[in-house]
Amino acid sequence: MFTAKLSHVHPILLLGVVVLAFTGWIAYEGVTGQGAASVMGSEQSESEDGAKPLPKLPPEVVIGAVCVGQPRLFVEQHLMAHSAGDIDPVDLSAGAPVLRSRYRVYIGRPLPHLNPSLPPHMFRPGSYILTLEFDGRHAGHPLFRIDLSPENPG
């Protein structure tokens, strides 16, 4: 009677077959390009919530599109294309939860809807701090205050 003792007699041969199969699999994944994209994701792919990546627009255009009442997710998706914001802890000092985010942006032209008291000829291009405050009491945390101030006043 014949018994299969191949694994006991030739362990080097068995190990060689396993290594060869693994190497072939890695080579196949490298040639087809499916391995890296499926594991790491693609920079051109959609984000987790299904939204397509937003193009990087000038900060004046992005800030001009931000309006009071918009949900926090919408606002932060547009601003995150520029820089990561400094997110403060939830502020409960006024009796209601306020979520505050700050962004450093370079503004090259006046934004009259944010600084209506500043005449356009008095505007100076430079680095500004954009502060956004969201209402933590309502679903979606709608934006309720926008403030733009020079990073280094003076």
Side-chain angles (χ1 to χ4, degrees):
M1 176 180 234
F2 175 74
T3 59
K5 293 184 180 181
L6 184 63
S7 63
H8 295 292
V9 177
H10 302 289
I12 301 297
L13 180 65
L14 182 62
L15 180 63
V17 169
V18 170
V19 168
L20 184 63
F22 181 73
T23 305
W25 174 61
I26 295 295
Y28 173 76
E29 291 292 322
V31 170
T32 61
Q34 297 297 322
S38 63
V39 174
M40 300 292 287
S42 170
E43 290 191 23
Q44 299 297 327
S45 66
E46 295 183 359
S47 63
E48 290 178 11
D49 62 355
K52 292 187 178 178
L54 298 168
K56 188 167 181 175
L57 300 170
E60 296 89 357
V61 173
V62 175
I63 294 169
V66 172
C67 300
V68 171
Q70 291 176 328
R72 181 178 182 182
L73 179 63
F74 177 81
V75 172
E76 288 186 345
Q77 274 183 331
H78 283 79
L79 291 173
M80 285 297 195
H82 288 280
S83 66
D86 296 328
I87 300 172
D88 293 352
V90 176
D91 181 10
L92 297 171
S93 64
V98 174
L99 307 144
R100 190 172 293 116
S101 299
R102 290 185 177 88
Y103 296 88
R104 285 181 177 81
V105 293
Y106 183 86
I107 305 295
R109 62 182 170 95
L111 297 169
H113 68 285
L114 291 180
N115 287 333
S117 62
L118 182 68
H121 68 278
M122 298 285 291
F123 172 80
R124 289 191 177 142
S127 187
Y128 284 79
I129 301 292
L130 176 68
T131 304
L132 305 172
E133 293 183 355
F134 301 93
D135 188 353
R137 295 175 296 170
H138 302 288
H141 304 151
L143 179 66
F144 74 88
R145 185 170 174 266
I146 305 170
D147 181 54
L148 185 67
S149 56
E151 187 170 18
N152 298 318

